[in-house]
Amino acid sequence: MVSPIEHFVNRSLGTWTAQRSGHNLAFRHVEEVESEIRIAPMDPEDPQLTELLASNQVASSAMCCPFSVTWQGTSDWDENATSDGSCLLVPVPESDTTGRLLRSQGYTETIPAVGHYRFSDDGTFVLVTPYERASAEERVWFATDDLRLRVALMRTSSGRGVLQASFSSEIRQRST
Amino acid sequence: MVSPIEHFVNRSLGTWTAQRSGHNLAFRHVEEVESEIRIAPMDPEDPQLTELLASNQVASSAMCCPFSVTWQGTSDWDENATSDGSCLLVPVPESDTTGRLLRSQGYTETIPAVGHYRFSDDGTFVLVTPYERASAEERVWFATDDLRLRVALMRTSSGRGVLQASFSSEIRQRST
């Protein structure tokens, strides 16, 4: 039987066309970003992976289904600028429905980060990642096998305020 | 002890400034709508409420915390056009975390509708409302007491395809 995290990662593999609407809550500004996201399994022997595990003092036997995410996006704020990047993500299960997620690089800060995930009873993947001055809360779920939805919040470090909320609809690209 | 539905409705009462990003999934078009939403408790003796209960053959003793929603919005598709409306919503609990929701009017069709709700273990209110040619699935949760989030999907009647996904961030208006 496949664990929830393995099932979730397996369903996520592939190339996705994403539309993200970012709501700045203080200024009520909306930013639209279109991007392509590629999620691929990682070779357990990859040196970058070995390094990430070592720096977090995690044994390779403790991880499950490591993967990489590569993205390239265009914002409606500046159509000439593209943002792109990639990171490694390594789930380290603590129970069937909870665990840590190691990242080689965070979304908001270019430093490694460790988040905690759990699955709610309807299968939503909920990830909370503390950063130095804020924390990110992401909820990701599948509306269908080919439509992945994501709501991300950036909270103040106290957790009481929310600076930004964003919504992404990600459609799987069919290989031709 | 207050039931989950009563707690949810009580937290929702008030006036909200909402920003909605609607993602048309087939055409990848995004529509932005700004609106004001007012959620108010209803008088259990209100004749409209009595009529809605009678037309659904529901005894008034079976309902919990009926409320009305009034909205007025402006879309970036046509800034001169405003959309506004109101409807009555009547929860009819079946268990502590599930029940039916009667509406005097649906969001997508101007006919009465009956949806089914349930609360997931993280407190998200999930509502599924079948219509004649589609079904609406809404997830509503509180990021903070003053920030309500909503993701709505419009599914084909088979449930396998999704035509539209939208995200709303709703900020409570403080009385001055």
Side-chain angles (χ1 to χ4, degrees), chain A residues 1-8 64 91-101 115-128 138 140, chain B residues 121-122:
Chain A
M1 173 102 180
V2 175
S3 69
I5 185 66
E6 212 175 334
H7 183 61
F8 181 80
C64 168
V92 182
E94 288 168 350
S95 76
D96 204 39
T97 56
T98 63
R100 283 184 296 158
L101 186 71
H116 280 86
Y117 70 81
R118 63 186 158 79
F119 287 94
S120 69
D121 60 359
D122 59 4
T124 302
F125 175 79
V126 183
L127 176 69
V128 177
E138 291 173 85
V140 186
Chain B
D121 60 359
D122 59 4

Side-chain angles (χ1 to χ4, degrees), chain A residues 7 9 25 29 31 91-92 116 134 157 159 169:
Chain A
H7 183 61
V9 173
L25 299 177
H29 179 85
E31 180 190 15
V92 182
H116 280 86
S157 41
S169 58

Side-chain angles (χ1 to χ4, degrees), chain A residues 19-21 30-34 74-76, chain B residues 21 23 30 32:
Chain A
Q19 176 77 47
R20 189 182 82 209
S21 301
V30 178
E31 180 190 15
E32 296 295 338
V33 177
E34 285 178 37
T74 314
S75 164
D76 67 351
Chain B
S21 300
H23 293 194
V30 178
E32 297 294 339

Side-chain angles (χ1 to χ4, degrees), chain A residues 17-23 25-26 28-30 32 34 118-122 124 126 137 139 141-144 147 149 151-153 155 159-162 165-171, chain B residues 17-23 25-26 28-30 32 34 118-122 124 126 137 139 141-144 147 149 151-153 155 159-162 165-171:
Chain A
T17 303
Q19 176 77 47
R20 189 182 82 209
S21 301
H23 293 194
L25 299 177
R28 275 326 217 171
H29 179 85
V30 178
E32 296 295 338
E34 285 178 37
R118 63 186 158 79
F119 287 94
S120 69
D121 60 359
D122 59 4
T124 302
V126 183
E137 182 182 310
R139 309 173 78 84
W141 71 99
F142 289 86
T144 70
L147 176 62
L149 302 175
V151 172
L153 304 181
R155 288 186 187 270
R160 264 183 269 162
V162 178
S166 72
F167 175 62
S168 302
S169 58
E170 304 173 352
I171 297 176
Chain B
T17 304
Q19 177 77 47
R20 189 182 80 209
S21 300
H23 293 194
L25 299 176
R28 275 327 217 171
H29 179 84
V30 178
E32 297 294 339
E34 285 179 36
R118 64 186 157 80
F119 287 94
S120 69
D121 60 359
D122 59 4
T124 302
V126 183
E137 182 183 310
R139 309 173 79 84
W141 71 99
F142 289 85
T144 71
L147 176 62
L149 303 174
V151 171
L153 303 181
R155 289 187 188 268
R160 265 184 268 162
V162 177
S166 72
F167 175 62
S168 303
S169 58
E170 304 173 352
I171 297 176

Side-chain angles (χ1 to χ4, degrees), chain A:
Chain A
M1 173 102 180
V2 175
S3 69
I5 185 66
E6 212 175 334
H7 183 61
F8 181 80
V9 173
N10 284 341
R11 291 182 85 179
S12 297
L13 299 177
T15 305
W16 303 80
T17 303
Q19 176 77 47
R20 189 182 82 209
S21 301
H23 293 194
N24 179 308
L25 299 177
F27 299 106
R28 275 326 217 171
H29 179 85
V30 178
E31 180 190 15
E32 296 295 338
V33 177
E34 285 178 37
S35 61
E36 186 175 281
I37 298 172
R38 188 164 170 268
I39 303 177
M42 277 206 79
D43 178 357
E45 307 295 327
D46 189 292
Q48 284 182 282
L49 182 56
T50 311
E51 196 186 311
L52 182 61
L53 289 171
S55 68
N56 282 282
Q57 300 178 289
V58 170
S60 64
S61 58
M63 73 175 173
C64 168
C65 45
F67 59 100
S68 64
V69 177
T70 310
W71 65 91
Q72 184 165 41
T74 314
S75 164
D76 67 351
W77 273 20
D78 182 355
E79 290 181 7
N80 297 315
T82 56
S83 66
D84 60 308
S86 68
C87 68
L88 313 187
L89 291 131
V90 184
V92 182
E94 288 168 350
S95 76
D96 204 39
T97 56
T98 63
R100 283 184 296 158
L101 186 71
L102 316 182
R103 297 193 201 203
S104 61
Q105 196 184 54
Y107 286 159
T108 55
E109 303 180 28
T110 54
I111 53 164
V114 180
H116 280 86
Y117 70 81
R118 63 186 158 79
F119 287 94
S120 69
D121 60 359
D122 59 4
T124 302
F125 175 79
V126 183
L127 176 69
V128 177
T129 309
Y131 293 100
E132 208 171 316
R133 279 181 292 274
S135 78
E137 182 182 310
E138 291 173 85
R139 309 173 78 84
V140 186
W141 71 99
F142 289 86
T144 70
D145 276 345
D146 299 324
L147 176 62
R148 209 170 86 128
L149 302 175
R150 173 196 302 267
V151 172
L153 304 181
M154 192 54 62
R155 288 186 187 270
T156 55
S157 41
S158 74
R160 264 183 269 162
V162 178
L163 309 167
Q164 159 117 13
S166 72
F167 175 62
S168 302
S169 58
E170 304 173 352
I171 297 176
R172 187 186 298 279
Q173 287 181 17
R174 285 297 176 190
S175 48
T176 48

